[in-house]
Amino acid sequence: YALQGSRWRVKKLTYKISKYPRILEKSAVDKDVSRAFSVWSEYTDLTFTQKRSGQVHIEIRFERGEHGDGDPFDGPGGTLAHAYFPVYGGDAHFDDSEHWSINSYRGTNLFQVAAHEFGHSLGLSHSDVKSALMAPFYRGYEPNFILDSDDIQGIQALYGQQTLSSSGSESTDTKVNSKTTVPPPGEEDTQLCSDSKIDTMFDSAEGHSYAFKGDHYWKLTTDGIASGYPRLISNSWHGLPGNIDAAFTYKNGKTYFFKGSKYWRYIGKKIDGDYPKDISEGFTGIPDNIDAATVWTGNGKIYFYKGTKFWRFDPAQRPPVKSTYPKLISNWEGIPNNIDAALTYHGYTYFFKGDMYYRFNDRTFSVDVADPAFPRSTAYWWFGC
Amino acid sequence: IPVTALSENNAMSYLSQFGYLPPTNPTSGGFITQETMTKAISEFQSFAGLNVTGDLDNETSTLMSLPRCGVKDKVGASSDGRSKR
């Protein structure tokens, strides 16, 4: 990656689309531009807020030919867009002669070009890494776009992941801090602290714990929520919808997500093939619309929970679910029916329901007796509220 | 020496636009030496990950014809960089 030499000194940036393209609906452009900014906010604690009027940090315009900055556009093909580095204002201009498209192999993908241009708006120059977003050449529509590690290193060299102390000035051409800083403990999360009922909770292969709720997700730390969260699920796990029913990471390092009658498989945050698939196809014997799922580290078997019942799934057996299943959750002393989420963590299985959670001891096959007693407040013990 | 071939003219314009050559001077007709042109092509090839031949070969011409971002690849070598309005 290459840094131009200037960066923003504030982390809360605003933008305005002053002139929309002719061929796309405004609401669709708003959405794609927002998604393009999220590419960068995903790896920093920068935030981008759209304004409709007034002064903003980054102004976005779709223009044709000469448009007042002495750098005229050249019609279809050739130059697609250009943007200004922070020290020059950060504005981004797009050639309105291009056939801009959204989620389509036809035309020029607005999201990818916008994400690239916003890289310039934030201080990144062109990279000589071919796979990087900041490489100068348009490489065609990529439905499963993922930011390259080169881009991540570049943006974090500029902004780290920590709140920068603001001097009040908005841009500077002073030397950048090239160190990537450790995120500070997250502040109390208003959304989770006011309503800590979650959709699912799981550990990634890298050892991070994530909580999903609606369209958002949070990364958990030992102190609560990591800074910079919540984030949009769809911005990190491309192709994955919100309101996920259940998730787990298997011993092969792959993470499985379940919703309704479908499931998705990811390696890290990259989709691992053609998904979604039917649960009945990949997990024969497991019902649709499950409540939660866990992998018991003791035997590597997968447990699915729905309503008053649970199923044990053993990928190594045929059939993978024995005829003796489902069984009643009430067999497990102290665990309620209709749970929201479950997670295997540090040798225990945790069950979440409403605002409370239960710690299940696999050796005694019952909820732990402890002080304070279970169920405990999820908000307090898991989310740092 | 004068660069007369159309493709070389286009290449010169391209290399100038993206920071590998000084901006074309309309009063001098855009004359540059072959050595300068070869060096600029080599720099572009190196940046783009192509074989560095210094020649305007097919691979290089093809890459130059791809849609791309209008921001210079090299800032400072041939201009003061992009200024705002």
Side-chain angles (χ1 to χ4, degrees):
Chain A
Y1 64 86
L3 308 182
Q4 178 267 339
S6 69
R7 63 177 165 89
W8 297 95
R9 297 285 281 183
V10 290
K11 68 174 184 176
K12 292 181 179 175
L13 295 168
T14 55
Y15 67 92
K16 178 172 66 181
I17 305 175
S18 307
K19 200 169 175 186
Y20 282 82
R22 293 165 300 120
I23 59 171
L24 293 174
E25 286 194 6
K26 285 185 177 181
S27 59
V29 174
D30 286 346
K31 198 173 172 185
D32 238 26
V33 165
S34 170
R35 199 157 71 90
F37 276 117
S38 298
V39 164
W40 302 109
S41 57
E42 171 77 10
Y43 294 96
T44 62
D45 61 358
L46 292 168
T47 64
F48 300 96
T49 305
Q50 183 174 10
K51 289 177 73 176
R52 300 288 176 189
S53 60
Q55 290 267 323
V56 292
H57 297 99
I58 298 169
E59 185 188 359
I60 298 160
R61 288 197 274 139
F62 289 78
E63 299 278 10
R64 295 177 128 194
E66 173 55 48
H67 51 280
D69 62 4
D71 204 352
F73 285 127
D74 55 3
T79 297
L80 304 174
H82 56 228
Y84 295 87
F85 298 116
V87 69
Y88 302 122
D91 293 355
H93 299 162
F94 298 83
D95 188 348
D96 200 24
S97 302
E98 306 297 337
H99 185 85
W100 296 109
S101 64
I102 293 172
N103 296 334
S104 170
Y105 285 97
R106 290 170 181 249
T108 305
N109 185 260
L110 174 60
F111 160 72
Q112 287 170 217
V113 175
H116 173 101
E117 297 305 327
F118 298 154
H120 292 314
S121 299
L122 296 172
L124 292 173
S125 287
H126 284 150
S127 171
D128 62 1
V129 174
K130 277 186 180 177
S131 58
L133 173 66
M134 292 314 295
F137 306 101
Y138 177 67
R139 53 194 174 188
Y141 173 51
E142 293 177 345
N144 298 314
F145 172 85
I146 290 178
L147 194 61
D148 194 87
S149 59
D150 177 72
D151 302 304
I152 296 169
Q153 288 171 37
I155 200 69
Q156 291 186 342
L158 283 171
Y159 298 98
Q161 294 185 0
Q162 188 180 32
T163 302
L164 296 170
S165 57
S166 172
S167 62
S169 62
E170 293 184 344
S171 67
T172 177
D173 56 358
T174 55
K175 287 182 181 175
V176 298
N177 175 8
S178 61
K179 289 181 181 175
T180 300
T181 49
V182 178
E187 294 174 5
E188 191 169 280
D189 186 277
T190 49
Q191 195 176 340
L192 282 183
C193 290
S194 61
D195 177 11
S196 59
K197 180 180 167 72
I198 50 166
D199 293 337
T200 189
M201 188 114 82
F202 67 97
D203 276 343
S204 70
E206 296 77 33
H208 300 303
S209 298
Y210 293 102
F212 278 30
K213 182 185 178 79
D215 291 329
H216 292 93
Y217 77 98
W218 292 256
K219 188 161 89 172
L220 308 184
T221 69
T222 51
D223 299 320
I225 302 297
S227 66
Y229 290 85
R231 296 178 181 177
L232 275 171
I233 293 169
S234 57
N235 281 345
S236 297
W237 285 271
H238 297 287
L240 191 64
N243 299 302
I244 288 292
D245 292 335
F248 62 83
T249 300
Y250 198 58
K251 56 188 180 184
N252 59 7
K254 299 182 180 186
T255 303
Y256 297 76
F257 297 94
F258 299 81
K259 179 178 179 176
S261 62
K262 304 287 184 186
Y263 77 99
W264 291 254
R265 190 174 74 193
Y266 285 74
I267 298 175
K269 290 175 180 165
K270 187 176 181 184
I271 200 159
D272 186 31
D274 190 20
Y275 287 91
K277 292 180 180 175
D278 288 334
I279 292 175
S280 57
E281 176 192 342
F283 292 88
T284 306
I286 302 301
D288 297 340
N289 300 301
I290 58 171
D291 293 335
T294 55
V295 179
W296 190 31
T297 45
N299 59 11
K301 290 168 184 164
I302 306 160
Y303 291 77
F304 292 91
Y305 310 87
K306 179 179 178 178
T308 59
K309 297 169 183 164
F310 73 94
W311 290 252
R312 192 181 73 178
F313 186 92
D314 186 348
Q317 296 296 320
R318 290 292 174 273
V321 179
K322 280 187 179 178
S323 58
T324 51
Y325 287 89
K327 294 182 178 178
L328 292 173
I329 292 176
S330 57
N331 290 342
W332 294 3
E333 189 184 333
I335 299 300
N337 295 324
N338 301 304
I339 59 171
D340 296 326
L343 172 73
T344 304
Y345 181 75
H346 286 184
Y348 291 96
T349 303
Y350 293 84
F351 293 92
F352 299 83
K353 182 173 180 177
D355 293 336
M356 310 298 278
Y357 77 97
Y358 304 73
R359 189 176 75 193
F360 188 75
N361 190 321
D362 295 336
R363 281 163 296 186
T364 62
F365 258 66
S366 61
V367 171
D368 265 340
V369 176
D371 183 22
F374 291 100
R376 291 182 186 172
S377 160
T378 306
Y380 180 81
W381 292 95
W382 285 84
F383 303 145
C385 304
Chain B
I1 61 171
V3 177
T4 53
L6 183 63
S7 61
E8 289 218 355
N9 269 337
N10 286 342
M12 191 172 71
S13 172
Y14 183 98
L15 293 167
S16 172
Q17 184 179 357
F18 296 112
Y20 298 91
L21 283 173
T24 306
N25 182 346
T27 58
S28 67
F31 292 96
I32 59 164
T33 65
Q34 189 62 53
E35 186 185 358
T36 303
M37 186 70 175
T38 300
K39 188 176 172 224
I41 292 171
S42 298
E43 286 181 1
F44 172 75
Q45 290 169 331
S46 174
F47 181 82
L50 305 178
N51 288 330
V52 180
T53 62
D55 297 327
L56 191 58
D57 49 34
N58 280 341
E59 194 181 22
T60 307
S61 296
T62 301
L63 194 62
M64 284 181 174
S65 66
L66 286 182
R68 58 160 291 159
C69 171
V71 175
K72 284 177 164 58
D73 298 333
K74 293 179 64 187
V75 178
S78 57
S79 74
D80 295 331
R82 184 176 298 279
S83 60
K84 183 176 181 181
R85 285 185 286 278

